[in-house]
Amino acid sequence: MLNFDFYNPTRIAFGKGKVAEIDKLVPPEARVLIIYGGNSAKKNGTLDEVQAALGNRVFEMFGGVEPNPTYETMMKAVAQVKTNKLDFLLAVGGGSVIDGTKFVAAAVYTEGDPWEILLQHGANVKKAMPYGTVLTLPATGSEMNDGSVVSRIETSSGLQDKLYFTSEHVFPKFSVLDPSKSFTLPPRQLANGVVDAYTHIMEQYLTYPVGARVQDRFAEGLLQTLIEVGPKVLQNPEDYELQANFMWVATLALNGLIGSGVPSDWATHMIGHEITALHGLDHAQTLAIILPSMLSLRRDAKRAKLLQYAERVWHISEGTEDARIEAAIQNTRSFFESLNVPTRLSAYDISADAIPAMLSQLESHGMVELGEHKDVTLDKSREVLEASI
């Protein structure tokens, strides 16, 4: 096991009716900006519950956060905070809303160009506004971590950038996780959530062995839970038990626990970000496309963990080692496809002609030595994209 420091200060309020506890979690004198996405939080009554829980506190609203939150939109929220002297943020939504809120929290106190937060991946963040979250879409784990991904439409290159930052200053103070808030989500969003959480786990688990038995068993259990409940939650979205397990797995997939003391990959995510930036695919759709090809083309470097994954997660223990590895990769692809999430670029009418632009974006963002061994060069990324057509 590798050396590590584990830190996670986020309080979790989990279960039915927990939105009401916002009254205890938000400081009584707070001046609050509620940040949300589209109309779903209004239609399902979550925003009304949040407002009721805030009681007599001063609060304002900021809506319209995109599925991939943009710098341009979130800077409007920053201006609203500064103009009206607000001092607490409350994100109501899924990972995109929470990611955008993290940027706002950091940007309010950033001197100079706030885009530098993304360009420096958070190294320049010294302070952030306090905020809490009310999760409505299990997927990204952003409700219990210090990471954020933000896109910028207006760039010098004329192409959209999608970059990440991390900072211990942007952990949520609290997150409310009520599984019933996911009952009305459309199948596409639920399926995306399953794929997103699954890939988060794989990025931290499927690297190379370091004797981290605890983290491995945690990760394998989370993967098996997603395999078990993922298809069922699509068929029965109002089953509280299914939604509860799905929501908690998605949170645990990226709250730092299973990633402590082990190497991590993230090459699939970095390539996926460029596909979203250039072609507008959902984040999880890009992960479903890239991950199977990434595993296949890097099977030698990941051999030991692929064999472990095959046996412990998919119960594949017969046949040659190569056959077991191939079966595990194909099972992963089939699992995503069973959720109606395609695993080929061609399913979205993206051809090989689009690959050079993706590689150019990777190069411009310094993504030229990706993976746990820093061996995913631009040439390897090209191979992965070509295999994903």
Side-chain angles (χ1 to χ4, degrees):
M1 190 184 302
L2 306 179
N3 292 351
F4 67 90
D5 292 311
F6 176 74
Y7 173 73
N8 194 314
T10 302
R11 177 189 295 272
I12 298 295
F14 190 102
K16 293 179 182 177
K18 286 290 188 175
V19 172
E21 293 191 9
I22 288 174
D23 184 40
K24 301 175 183 177
L25 297 169
V26 176
E29 302 302 321
R31 295 172 57 82
V32 182
L33 180 63
I34 300 173
I35 300 177
Y36 64 99
N39 291 322
S40 61
K42 288 182 178 179
K43 291 180 179 178
N44 65 21
T46 302
L47 279 176
D48 289 338
E49 288 184 54
V50 168
Q51 292 174 25
L54 287 173
N56 295 322
R57 294 173 181 82
V58 174
F59 69 85
E60 297 182 14
M61 309 290 288
F62 183 88
V65 179
E66 305 92 340
N68 291 292
T70 65
Y71 172 81
E72 290 81 1
T73 294
M74 302 322 301
M75 284 303 295
K76 295 177 183 177
V78 172
Q80 186 171 340
V81 167
K82 291 182 174 181
T83 299
N84 299 331
K85 296 180 171 59
L86 306 175
D87 57 21
F88 197 94
L89 306 175
L90 191 54
V92 181
S96 293
V97 172
I98 300 171
D99 279 10
T101 300
K102 289 176 181 177
F103 173 76
V104 174
V108 165
Y109 293 118
T110 298
E111 297 181 3
D113 182 4
W115 185 244
E116 285 293 321
I117 296 172
L118 281 303
L119 293 178
Q120 297 185 38
H121 301 303
N124 59 333
V125 177
K126 307 302 180 185
K127 183 180 180 182
M129 282 184 69
Y131 74 97
T133 87
V134 177
L135 184 67
T136 62
L137 170 58
T140 70
S142 191
E143 65 276 4
M144 199 179 177
N145 67 39
D146 64 350
S148 169
V149 178
V150 176
S151 298
R152 187 168 188 173
I153 299 171
E154 299 175 3
T155 65
S156 58
S157 68
L159 299 174
Q160 181 170 301
D161 281 344
K162 183 175 181 179
L163 301 176
Y164 74 92
F165 81 94
T166 62
S167 170
E168 66 177 32
H169 299 291
V170 297
F171 274 104
K173 297 298 182 184
F174 67 84
S175 287
V176 176
L177 278 60
D178 182 343
S180 67
K181 300 305 175 188
S182 300
F183 285 178
T184 58
L185 289 172
R188 173 172 160 176
Q189 288 187 314
L190 287 171
N192 280 348
V194 175
V195 171
D196 203 358
Y198 197 96
T199 309
H200 284 160
I201 300 165
M202 292 286 278
E203 295 272 37
Q204 300 164 91
Y205 166 74
L206 220 156
T207 54
Y208 57 88
V210 291
R213 300 183 186 187
V214 176
Q215 293 92 322
D216 280 0
R217 290 297 191 185
F218 272 151
E220 290 155 2
L222 295 175
L223 291 170
Q224 287 180 316
T225 302
L226 284 173
I227 292 168
E228 180 182 347
V229 307
K232 293 179 181 178
V233 82
L234 289 177
Q235 297 168 1
N236 303 287
E238 295 189 15
D239 185 310
Y240 180 86
E241 182 178 316
L242 290 173
Q243 288 282 12
N245 280 280
F246 172 35
M247 182 171 279
W248 192 225
V249 167
T251 299
L252 292 173
L254 200 58
N255 72 344
L257 186 62
I258 66 169
S260 295
V262 299
S264 58
D265 187 342
W266 301 111
T268 292
H269 271 70
M270 296 305 103
I271 296 174
H273 286 172
E274 305 304 352
I275 299 173
T276 295
L278 293 173
H279 299 280
L281 271 64
D282 297 343
H283 175 57
Q285 291 173 338
T286 71
L287 302 180
I289 291 167
I290 297 300
L291 181 63
S293 298
M294 183 71 72
L295 296 178
S296 183
L297 287 171
R298 296 172 64 201
R299 66 179 64 201
D300 290 340
K302 294 178 178 287
R303 189 175 187 84
K305 266 310 190 57
L306 278 167
L307 288 168
Q308 182 176 319
Y309 172 63
E311 181 175 359
R312 293 187 180 180
V313 176
W314 292 108
H315 310 296
I316 301 169
S317 57
E318 296 183 357
T320 66
E321 290 188 351
D322 288 342
R324 281 179 271 155
I325 288 172
E326 182 62 29
I329 295 171
Q330 289 305 314
N331 280 7
T332 306
R333 186 184 295 278
S334 297
F335 176 59
F336 293 161
E337 294 278 356
S338 75
L339 302 170
N340 294 317
V341 183
T343 58
R344 297 288 183 184
L345 286 166
S346 56
Y348 300 96
D349 296 323
I350 300 173
S351 70
D353 294 340
I355 292 176
M358 298 179 199
L359 295 173
S360 178
Q361 286 281 86
L362 285 168
E363 185 174 23
S364 69
H365 295 144
M367 303 297 173
V368 295
E369 292 181 339
L370 301 173
E372 64 271 26
H373 297 295
K374 306 299 181 187
D375 58 349
V376 182
T377 61
L378 286 179
D379 285 340
K380 181 61 71 174
S381 293
R382 178 185 290 105
E383 291 178 27
V384 170
L385 286 165
E386 289 172 348
S388 301
I389 297 294

